[in-house]
Amino acid sequence: VMAGSTVELGCGVQGDPAPRVQWHKERGDLPWGRHEVDQEHTLHLYAVTPADAGTYVCTAQSPLGTAAATVRLRV
């Protein structure tokens, strides 16, 4: 993606009971003050910088187990 743009990273999860979803960045923190996760568990990154490049992980957890998916962001 281009620096300065907004990025949306989706995480499609479902289950009964509904899983708890968390996003994190491998080897770093989510950009402070420039990210949010909406009700559909999509991670929005605003005003992306080269420092935001890396691997992001979506983890879904419920009493039945845990699943994770990764996405690599290049700026």
Side-chain angles (χ1 to χ4, degrees):
V1 300
M2 297 293 294
S5 65
T6 296
V7 175
E8 296 180 357
L9 305 176
C11 186
V13 299
Q14 57 186 340
D16 187 16
R20 180 174 160 243
V21 176
Q22 290 186 303
W23 278 96
H24 73 274
K25 182 181 179 190
E26 288 185 349
R27 298 186 205 103
D29 296 322
L30 293 175
W32 179 254
R34 295 186 296 109
H35 79 275
E36 71 175 333
V37 178
D38 65 23
Q39 292 181 345
E40 287 77 38
H41 312 295
T42 300
L43 174 63
H44 301 265
L45 302 174
Y46 302 105
V48 173
T49 70
D52 297 327
T55 301
Y56 290 79
V57 182
C58 172
T59 304
Q61 186 173 23
S62 80
L64 301 176
T66 301
T70 61
V71 61
R72 180 154 187 110
L73 178 66
R74 293 184 182 161
V75 181

